[in-house]
PDB file of all heavy atoms in Angstrom:
ATOM      1  N   ASN A  82      -0.359  17.290   8.765  1.00 96.00           N
ATOM      2  CA  ASN A  82      -1.598  18.027   8.558  1.00 96.00           C
ATOM      3  C   ASN A  82      -1.257  19.446   8.093  1.00 96.00           C
ATOM      4  O   ASN A  82      -0.720  20.248   8.858  1.00 96.00           O
ATOM      5  CB  ASN A  82      -2.372  18.045   9.895  1.00 96.00           C
ATOM      6  CG  ASN A  82      -3.682  18.785   9.797  1.00 96.00           C
ATOM      7  OD1 ASN A  82      -3.801  19.784   9.102  1.00 96.00           O
ATOM      8  ND2 ASN A  82      -4.681  18.294  10.519  1.00 96.00           N
ATOM      9  N   ILE A  83      -1.549  19.721   6.841  1.00 94.00           N
ATOM     10  CA  ILE A  83      -1.088  20.989   6.241  1.00 94.00           C
ATOM     11  C   ILE A  83      -1.680  22.215   6.946  1.00 94.00           C
ATOM     12  O   ILE A  83      -1.003  23.213   7.140  1.00 94.00           O
ATOM     13  CB  ILE A  83      -1.353  20.991   4.718  1.00 94.00           C
ATOM     14  CG1 ILE A  83      -0.438  22.008   4.038  1.00 94.00           C
ATOM     15  CG2 ILE A  83      -2.804  21.223   4.358  1.00 94.00           C
ATOM     16  CD1 ILE A  83      -0.200  21.762   2.580  1.00 94.00           C
ATOM     17  N   LYS A  84      -2.911  22.115   7.363  1.00 92.00           N
ATOM     18  CA  LYS A  84      -3.564  23.253   8.042  1.00 92.00           C
ATOM     19  C   LYS A  84      -2.854  23.567   9.369  1.00 92.00           C
ATOM     20  O   LYS A  84      -2.576  24.716   9.682  1.00 92.00           O
ATOM     21  CB  LYS A  84      -5.051  22.902   8.259  1.00 92.00           C
ATOM     22  CG  LYS A  84      -5.818  23.885   9.096  1.00 92.00           C
ATOM     23  CD  LYS A  84      -6.431  25.002   8.281  1.00 92.00           C
ATOM     24  CE  LYS A  84      -7.144  25.995   9.179  1.00 92.00           C
ATOM     25  NZ  LYS A  84      -7.537  27.205   8.530  1.00 92.00           N
ATOM     26  N   GLU A  85      -2.554  22.499  10.105  1.00 94.00           N
ATOM     27  CA  GLU A  85      -1.877  22.709  11.400  1.00 94.00           C
ATOM     28  C   GLU A  85      -0.455  23.228  11.212  1.00 94.00           C
ATOM     29  O   GLU A  85      -0.014  24.120  11.920  1.00 94.00           O
ATOM     30  CB  GLU A  85      -1.784  21.379  12.166  1.00 94.00           C
ATOM     31  CG  GLU A  85      -3.042  21.044  12.937  1.00 94.00           C
ATOM     32  CD  GLU A  85      -2.987  19.635  13.502  1.00 94.00           C
ATOM     33  OE1 GLU A  85      -1.889  19.046  13.587  1.00 94.00           O
ATOM     34  OE2 GLU A  85      -4.070  19.111  13.848  1.00 94.00           O
ATOM     35  N   LYS A  86       0.243  22.656  10.261  1.00 92.00           N
ATOM     36  CA  LYS A  86       1.673  22.986  10.125  1.00 92.00           C
ATOM     37  C   LYS A  86       1.923  24.278   9.368  1.00 92.00           C
ATOM     38  O   LYS A  86       2.869  24.985   9.658  1.00 92.00           O
ATOM     39  CB  LYS A  86       2.415  21.857   9.402  1.00 92.00           C
ATOM     40  CG  LYS A  86       2.301  20.521  10.084  1.00 92.00           C
ATOM     41  CD  LYS A  86       3.376  20.353  11.123  1.00 92.00           C
ATOM     42  CE  LYS A  86       3.257  18.967  11.692  1.00 92.00           C
ATOM     43  NZ  LYS A  86       4.267  18.532  12.519  1.00 92.00           N
ATOM     44  N   GLN A  87       1.081  24.569   8.383  1.00 88.00           N
ATOM     45  CA  GLN A  87       1.323  25.759   7.563  1.00 88.00           C
ATOM     46  C   GLN A  87       0.400  26.912   7.961  1.00 88.00           C
ATOM     47  O   GLN A  87       0.528  28.005   7.428  1.00 88.00           O
ATOM     48  CB  GLN A  87       1.104  25.434   6.073  1.00 88.00           C
ATOM     49  CG  GLN A  87       2.057  24.414   5.511  1.00 88.00           C
ATOM     50  CD  GLN A  87       3.456  24.983   5.301  1.00 88.00           C
ATOM     51  OE1 GLN A  87       3.627  26.158   5.021  1.00 88.00           O
ATOM     52  NE2 GLN A  87       4.461  24.153   5.472  1.00 88.00           N
ATOM     53  N   GLY A  88      -0.559  26.642   8.822  1.00 89.00           N
ATOM     54  CA  GLY A  88      -1.466  27.700   9.254  1.00 89.00           C
ATOM     55  C   GLY A  88      -2.521  28.042   8.207  1.00 89.00           C
ATOM     56  O   GLY A  88      -3.285  28.987   8.362  1.00 89.00           O
ATOM     57  N   LYS A  89      -2.541  27.308   7.114  1.00 87.00           N
ATOM     58  CA  LYS A  89      -3.521  27.551   6.050  1.00 87.00           C
ATOM     59  C   LYS A  89      -3.920  26.219   5.446  1.00 87.00           C
ATOM     60  O   LYS A  89      -3.089  25.315   5.331  1.00 87.00           O
ATOM     61  CB  LYS A  89      -2.910  28.398   4.924  1.00 87.00           C
ATOM     62  CG  LYS A  89      -2.659  29.837   5.290  1.00 87.00           C
ATOM     63  CD  LYS A  89      -2.063  30.576   4.092  1.00 87.00           C
ATOM     64  CE  LYS A  89      -1.832  32.038   4.398  1.00 87.00           C
ATOM     65  NZ  LYS A  89      -0.919  32.288   5.502  1.00 87.00           N
ATOM     66  N   SER A  90      -5.173  26.114   5.049  1.00 89.00           N
ATOM     67  CA  SER A  90      -5.591  24.890   4.363  1.00 89.00           C
ATOM     68  C   SER A  90      -5.099  24.968   2.919  1.00 89.00           C
ATOM     69  O   SER A  90      -4.764  26.051   2.427  1.00 89.00           O
ATOM     70  CB  SER A  90      -7.114  24.775   4.373  1.00 89.00           C
ATOM     71  OG  SER A  90      -7.655  25.764   3.521  1.00 89.00           O
ATOM     72  N   ILE A  91      -5.094  23.838   2.232  1.00 93.00           N
ATOM     73  CA  ILE A  91      -4.623  23.867   0.838  1.00 93.00           C
ATOM     74  C   ILE A  91      -5.565  24.722  -0.013  1.00 93.00           C
ATOM     75  O   ILE A  91      -5.116  25.391  -0.945  1.00 93.00           O
ATOM     76  CB  ILE A  91      -4.425  22.434   0.262  1.00 93.00           C
ATOM     77  CG1 ILE A  91      -3.593  22.464  -1.027  1.00 93.00           C
ATOM     78  CG2 ILE A  91      -5.751  21.735  -0.005  1.00 93.00           C
ATOM     79  CD1 ILE A  91      -2.153  22.734  -0.890  1.00 93.00           C
ATOM     80  N   LYS A  92      -6.845  24.767   0.332  1.00 93.00           N
ATOM     81  CA  LYS A  92      -7.768  25.604  -0.454  1.00 93.00           C
ATOM     82  C   LYS A  92      -7.398  27.082  -0.294  1.00 93.00           C
ATOM     83  O   LYS A  92      -7.428  27.852  -1.259  1.00 93.00           O
ATOM     84  CB  LYS A  92      -9.211  25.371  -0.003  1.00 93.00           C
ATOM     85  CG  LYS A  92      -9.770  24.042  -0.469  1.00 93.00           C
ATOM     86  CD  LYS A  92     -11.222  23.913  -0.084  1.00 93.00           C
ATOM     87  CE  LYS A  92     -11.721  22.507  -0.301  1.00 93.00           C
ATOM     88  NZ  LYS A  92     -12.998  22.226   0.300  1.00 93.00           N
ATOM     89  N   GLU A  93      -7.050  27.480   0.933  1.00 92.00           N
ATOM     90  CA  GLU A  93      -6.635  28.881   1.162  1.00 92.00           C
ATOM     91  C   GLU A  93      -5.342  29.170   0.405  1.00 92.00           C
ATOM     92  O   GLU A  93      -5.155  30.252  -0.164  1.00 92.00           O
ATOM     93  CB  GLU A  93      -6.434  29.134   2.660  1.00 92.00           C
ATOM     94  CG  GLU A  93      -7.738  29.177   3.432  1.00 92.00           C
ATOM     95  CD  GLU A  93      -7.530  29.143   4.960  1.00 92.00           C
ATOM     96  OE1 GLU A  93      -6.587  28.498   5.458  1.00 92.00           O
ATOM     97  OE2 GLU A  93      -8.349  29.753   5.644  1.00 92.00           O
ATOM     98  N   ILE A  94      -4.462  28.169   0.394  1.00 93.00           N
ATOM     99  CA  ILE A  94      -3.187  28.343  -0.312  1.00 93.00           C
ATOM    100  C   ILE A  94      -3.440  28.490  -1.818  1.00 93.00           C
ATOM    101  O   ILE A  94      -2.872  29.368  -2.470  1.00 93.00           O
ATOM    102  CB  ILE A  94      -2.222  27.172  -0.001  1.00 93.00           C
ATOM    103  CG1 ILE A  94      -1.794  27.233   1.473  1.00 93.00           C
ATOM    104  CG2 ILE A  94      -1.003  27.188  -0.913  1.00 93.00           C
ATOM    105  CD1 ILE A  94      -1.016  26.032   1.983  1.00 93.00           C
ATOM    106  N   TRP A  95      -4.323  27.647  -2.376  1.00 94.00           N
ATOM    107  CA  TRP A  95      -4.639  27.764  -3.825  1.00 94.00           C
ATOM    108  C   TRP A  95      -5.102  29.188  -4.154  1.00 94.00           C
ATOM    109  O   TRP A  95      -4.640  29.786  -5.117  1.00 94.00           O
ATOM    110  CB  TRP A  95      -5.770  26.784  -4.220  1.00 94.00           C
ATOM    111  CG  TRP A  95      -5.400  25.341  -4.206  1.00 94.00           C
ATOM    112  CD1 TRP A  95      -4.152  24.809  -4.345  1.00 94.00           C
ATOM    113  CD2 TRP A  95      -6.293  24.219  -4.052  1.00 94.00           C
ATOM    114  NE1 TRP A  95      -4.213  23.441  -4.277  1.00 94.00           N
ATOM    115  CE2 TRP A  95      -5.510  23.048  -4.106  1.00 94.00           C
ATOM    116  CE3 TRP A  95      -7.668  24.099  -3.872  1.00 94.00           C
ATOM    117  CZ2 TRP A  95      -6.057  21.772  -3.990  1.00 94.00           C
ATOM    118  CZ3 TRP A  95      -8.213  22.825  -3.758  1.00 94.00           C
ATOM    119  CH2 TRP A  95      -7.423  21.679  -3.813  1.00 94.00           C
ATOM    120  N   GLU A  96      -6.022  29.695  -3.321  1.00 92.00           N
ATOM    121  CA  GLU A  96      -6.573  31.039  -3.589  1.00 92.00           C
ATOM    122  C   GLU A  96      -5.500  32.112  -3.539  1.00 92.00           C
ATOM    123  O   GLU A  96      -5.412  32.972  -4.400  1.00 92.00           O
ATOM    124  CB  GLU A  96      -7.640  31.380  -2.548  1.00 92.00           C
ATOM    125  CG  GLU A  96      -9.014  30.847  -2.919  1.00 92.00           C
ATOM    126  CD  GLU A  96     -10.013  31.044  -1.793  1.00 92.00           C
ATOM    127  OE1 GLU A  96      -9.937  32.068  -1.093  1.00 92.00           O
ATOM    128  OE2 GLU A  96     -10.853  30.133  -1.612  1.00 92.00           O
ATOM    129  N   LEU A  97      -4.684  32.015  -2.497  1.00 91.00           N
ATOM    130  CA  LEU A  97      -3.621  33.000  -2.292  1.00 91.00           C
ATOM    131  C   LEU A  97      -2.655  33.024  -3.482  1.00 91.00           C
ATOM    132  O   LEU A  97      -2.324  34.077  -4.021  1.00 91.00           O
ATOM    133  CB  LEU A  97      -2.867  32.601  -1.013  1.00 91.00           C
ATOM    134  CG  LEU A  97      -2.010  33.633  -0.331  1.00 91.00           C
ATOM    135  CD1 LEU A  97      -2.888  34.729   0.230  1.00 91.00           C
ATOM    136  CD2 LEU A  97      -1.239  32.962   0.820  1.00 91.00           C
TER     137      LEU A  97
END
Side-chain angles (χ1 to χ4, degrees):
N82 180 324
I83 201 158
K84 173 89 182 169
E85 277 171 17
K86 302 273 184 171
Q87 296 286 329
K89 289 180 178 60
S90 70
I91 195 73
K92 286 184 191 167
E93 288 168 326
I94 292 171
W95 290 336
E96 275 173 36
L97 198 67

